[in-house]
Amino acid sequence: MLCLLRSTPAMITAQAFSFYVGCCGVLGLLPIAPGLASPLSQNRVPPVIAARTTEAVAAETRATEAIATEAIATEARPLLPTQPLKLGQALPTSPNFDPSHPLTPQPAVHQLQTITPDHWAAQALDTLADRYNCPTPDIRVTSQNGLSRSDFALLIDRCLDHLQQTHPLFQTADGTSPYVSRTQTQTDTPIDAASLNRGALELELGASGQNSNQARSSILDPAFAEVRGVDLVQPPLDFVTLQRLQTEFAPELQALGDRIDTQAERVQTLEDQQFSQRTKLFGIASFSTATVWGSQQARTNPQQPAQDLTAGVPFGGNVSLSFDTRFRQQDLLRLQIGAGSVPNTGRPLTGTTMSTVPLGANTTDENLEGASIVLQSLWYQTRFADRGLVRFGPVGISTIPLAGDLNPVNSTSAFGKRNPLHLVAGGGGVAANYQFNDSLSAAASYTSVANDGFSPEAGIFLGRYSLFSQLLFTPNQRLGLGLSHVYHSNPGDRVNLTAGRGSALAQSPFGNNTPTTAHLLGLELEASLSRNWALGAWVGYNWAWASGDGAIGRQAIASGATASSWNYALTLNLQDLGKRGSQLGFVVGMPPKAIHNSIANRTDLDTTYHLEVLYRYRHSSYLAFTPGLILLLNPEHNANNPAIWIASFATTLQF
């Protein structure tokens, strides 16, 4: 039946012609090329066919017949040339083709179809992938509904690159391939290899000249025999298959190559114009407004409020720039500077620091004069012992990046961000973290207040300093438990044991100028309740004593006086509400409250409740909007004080 092709050549494509030559040559119906004996005339079976199993021959026949049938059904070709086509020769163009035709060429119908697993191209690529281990997925498994021609062209390109990189037969001395490339087609770069044509004819006509009893060789032509360690089943026929795939998908491969070239040009431009090969610039800019309202300013126990609370709607902003430099992959040097003017909603406006909303660095005075750029961070970080990380520098050393910050809510208030003890320990010094295993890690730091560290008199040991330590237990990705401790010492210079997050009596139990030492303990928890819901909680306890004599006004404070305070909070986070990356957060808690003091009238009699709701809308990866609302009941732990409301809105840009 296949030899009927001999009598009807008018509509046969180049692939069908190749099949026709092979079949008829095997059956002795065509004259054999000079120098090649007909296998039928010698009454023997050619070795390349003899070495194949019956199933392999049948499978190859079916595959070749499918290619010919599909080509006849989808392509219209002119009459076959009088001379046989050579491998790599350009296919003849249609005599009716007019390159000057004014109409825009339209793609053929088959070029608009998806590539399904039963398509000849999908089967051909799967066969090549199996033979040469091309890194392409099995189309029969990954795309039951078919692939677009552009997606399929990407798979072809991957296979071509793999062949050029791993198989010497597809390469020349300079590492390129004379047979396959991303944009090569039968019409622009024909294959020029006489030995390859001879090998193809030997495969198709069955005249290899080898002993029929010899084991099957994957290399038939002497030109291929020089390549060592290459196991190609049918190199010439595989070249034909690759060339047809390239011809069929030439527009898609060309478009893919153009996109890759465009991306390469963009990468080269970025490399030429980058700030530094080792340094990257990151920045955060914010524009914010905040206002408060209530009837009167808060006062400490047991005083009565006496001053009205009056506030406008100020508008400010700040910017922070970070320069990250890497000398090695495990090293990082960070320089961070900042400047800005943001609204202050704290004690000067409301009478209490509990209403503070940290909107950024404030480097100007109230009249927007004396603006300056401040150094926010300067430290160097490196790894040690595979699982360790150490960081040191004169400013910007914080416990948060190295220790566990077990709070899922990015609060707008100062108190709602995290347990205050983490903010007491900070400044300049050294911090380290070590991961014992996947579940347990430890962190420690020694820091001094930056101003003291720069002072020749105080230095890093004689001024205000903190020793921080933490054990973090994370049995799985849904649960984290941290136990923290801070030993803090202040020689009597603006004592603040709560980092401005609690009442005045909790911040300075013995006054601002009395030497004070304290142990700060914290227990923190974070649990993921579901994919979107997360819960956080902490409790903190401070125990302090006067490490030297001091005074509060006219009242003398003797060394050895003791005091204690505590705080707690519960946070709840709903992630990806409204848009991926957005966050709805709730905070309920009690700011630090003085519960004991050996000095009379230095404890808080009532309880302040901090209620907060916020929504962070992430418009894009670099732009976010965050409105927030806070309610303080019994500010300064004094029931005589009326409630205070704080509203804020911030626009944050990251670049």
Side-chain angles (χ1 to χ4, degrees):
M1 178 183 68
L2 297 178
C3 289
L4 292 177
L5 296 173
R6 184 179 184 185
S7 60
T8 59
M11 299 299 293
I12 303 178
T13 63
Q15 288 81 3
F17 173 73
S18 178
F19 173 75
Y20 148 77
V21 172
C23 292
C24 294
V26 171
L27 297 179
L29 300 181
L30 282 181
I32 306 304
L36 300 177
S38 170
L40 294 183
S41 64
Q42 298 181 7
N43 194 24
R44 65 179 178 85
V45 179
V48 66
I49 297 179
R52 300 173 183 171
T53 64
T54 304
E55 293 80 0
V57 174
E60 181 177 331
T61 302
R62 288 194 300 271
T64 311
E65 187 175 4
I67 292 176
T69 304
E70 191 274 341
I72 294 174
T74 59
E75 301 180 18
R77 299 291 189 188
L79 294 177
L80 288 174
T82 56
Q83 298 296 329
L85 288 176
K86 293 184 179 181
L87 186 63
Q89 179 178 337
L91 294 177
T93 58
S94 172
N96 299 324
F97 174 73
D98 184 4
S100 62
H101 198 282
L103 296 178
T104 302
Q106 300 296 324
V109 175
H110 72 279
Q111 292 184 344
L112 302 177
Q113 300 173 349
T114 58
I115 308 302
T116 56
D118 57 350
H119 194 279
W120 71 265
Q123 297 177 358
L125 185 60
D126 284 340
T127 300
L128 292 174
D130 293 339
R131 287 181 181 175
Y132 306 121
N133 297 321
C134 292
T136 57
D138 191 342
I139 302 176
R140 294 166 295 183
V141 177
T142 59
S143 57
Q144 294 295 331
N145 296 327
L147 291 173
S148 66
R149 291 178 62 87
S150 298
D151 292 339
F152 188 78
L154 180 60
L155 301 183
I156 297 177
D157 183 74
R158 290 179 182 176
C159 191
L160 295 182
D161 287 343
H162 175 76
L163 292 175
Q164 294 178 16
Q165 295 174 8
T166 59
H167 291 276
L169 191 59
F170 293 90
Q171 300 175 353
T172 57
D174 60 354
T176 61
S177 172
Y179 310 120
V180 293
S181 65
R182 177 177 287 113
T183 59
Q184 175 182 302
T185 66
Q186 289 184 342
T187 59
D188 55 13
T189 311
I191 298 176
D192 185 15
S195 60
L196 183 60
N197 295 332
R198 185 168 67 255
L201 288 177
E202 288 178 354
L203 277 175
E204 296 178 357
L205 301 180
S208 67
Q210 296 185 4
N211 192 314
S212 59
N213 296 324
Q214 183 178 353
R216 183 184 68 172
S217 172
S218 62
I219 300 176
L220 303 180
D221 191 86
F224 301 134
E226 298 178 359
V227 182
R228 305 297 181 186
V230 180
D231 185 16
L232 305 181
V233 179
Q234 296 177 351
L237 293 183
D238 289 341
F239 291 147
V240 174
T241 301
L242 286 171
Q243 196 173 47
R244 187 187 176 192
L245 287 172
Q246 291 176 281
T247 303
E248 177 71 16
F249 295 89
E252 291 78 13
L253 290 172
Q254 181 64 46
L256 176 63
D258 293 342
R259 291 198 301 269
I260 293 177
D261 293 340
T262 301
Q263 293 297 328
E265 293 177 359
R266 293 183 61 185
V267 170
Q268 185 62 42
T269 301
L270 291 175
E271 291 180 350
D272 295 340
Q273 299 178 355
Q274 64 181 341
F275 175 76
S276 171
Q277 293 184 353
R278 298 184 181 273
T279 303
K280 293 183 179 181
L281 171 64
F282 302 92
I284 298 178
S286 65
F287 306 94
S288 55
T289 182
T291 186
V292 300
W293 66 91
S295 59
Q296 292 179 311
Q297 292 186 358
R299 302 188 68 182
T300 60
N301 268 309
Q303 303 179 62
Q304 294 287 337
Q307 186 174 352
D308 293 340
L309 193 158
T310 304
V313 184
F315 181 76
N318 75 332
V319 63
S320 178
L321 301 178
S322 298
F323 300 88
D324 286 359
T325 303
R326 292 186 180 274
F327 303 101
R328 299 179 301 171
Q329 185 62 31
Q330 64 270 29
D331 295 347
L332 175 63
L333 173 65
R334 171 166 294 179
L335 170 65
Q336 181 176 332
I337 57 177
S341 176
V342 296
N344 186 353
T345 61
R347 190 181 298 277
L349 187 63
T350 63
T352 176
T353 58
M354 295 181 181
S355 60
T356 302
V357 176
L359 297 174
N362 197 342
T363 61
T364 61
D365 57 22
E366 295 180 356
N367 298 320
L368 298 182
E369 297 178 354
S372 60
I373 298 177
V374 298
L375 180 64
Q376 296 176 329
S377 293
L378 178 59
W379 46 257
Y380 179 76
Q381 173 181 294
T382 187
R383 291 191 172 275
F384 68 94
D386 295 334
R387 290 177 172 266
L389 188 67
V390 62
R391 175 182 298 178
F392 57 90
V395 62
I397 301 298
S398 172
T399 65
I400 301 304
L402 299 183
D405 182 17
L406 301 179
N407 184 10
V409 176
N410 186 13
S411 173
T412 59
S413 67
F415 169 69
K417 286 189 176 298
R418 57 188 57 91
N419 194 327
L421 68 83
H422 287 283
L423 300 164
V424 174
V430 58
N433 176 278
Y434 189 81
Q435 188 79 31
F436 295 102
N437 51 51
D438 294 338
S439 301
L440 184 63
S441 65
S445 68
Y446 176 87
T447 56
S448 64
V449 176
N451 293 338
D452 293 348
F454 296 147
S455 171
E457 293 81 10
I460 61 175
F461 296 110
L462 300 180
R464 294 166 289 178
Y465 67 88
S466 300
L467 284 170
F468 169 82
S469 59
Q470 182 192 62
L471 283 177
L472 180 62
F473 180 61
T474 54
N476 52 59
Q477 296 182 350
R478 303 175 64 89
L479 180 64
L481 182 64
L483 179 62
S484 306
H485 171 260
V486 173
Y487 174 82
H488 178 74
S489 178
N490 189 309
D493 182 12
R494 291 162 292 177
V495 175
N496 190 342
L497 301 182
T498 64
R501 269 59 178 174
S503 68
L505 299 180
Q507 294 178 32
S508 307
F510 315 114
N512 292 328
N513 301 318
T514 301
T516 303
T517 304
H519 289 287
L520 288 66
L521 299 175
L523 180 64
E524 295 125 23
L525 170 71
E526 181 177 349
S528 178
L529 305 179
S530 66
R531 180 180 178 274
N532 299 102
W533 288 96
L535 177 70
W538 78 72
V539 59
Y541 178 80
N542 299 351
W543 182 70
W545 67 94
S547 54
D549 296 335
I552 303 176
R554 297 181 179 180
Q555 183 181 5
I557 304 296
S559 176
T562 60
S564 60
S565 64
W566 77 302
N567 69 93
Y568 63 84
L570 182 68
T571 63
L572 185 63
N573 174 50
L574 176 57
Q575 191 69 25
D576 298 336
L577 178 64
K579 188 174 183 180
R580 185 176 181 83
S582 299
Q583 176 191 93
L584 176 65
F586 303 91
V587 180
V588 178
M590 181 191 72
K593 173 184 176 180
I595 58 176
H596 162 73
N597 199 319
S598 59
I599 301 175
N601 300 324
R602 298 289 294 178
T603 58
D604 294 318
L605 303 180
D606 303 305
T607 301
T608 299
Y609 295 102
H610 176 105
L611 308 176
E612 177 182 356
V613 59
L614 65 108
Y615 180 66
R616 178 180 175 85
Y617 177 74
R618 186 172 183 178
H619 180 268
S620 64
S621 59
Y622 59 86
L623 178 62
F625 305 97
T626 309
L629 182 64
I630 303 170
L631 172 61
L632 295 177
L633 299 176
N634 306 325
E636 281 293 309
H637 300 292
N638 185 355
N640 297 323
N641 295 326
I644 297 177
W645 293 81
I646 307 100
S648 64
F649 185 87
T651 300
T652 305
L653 298 97
Q654 297 180 339
F655 55 91

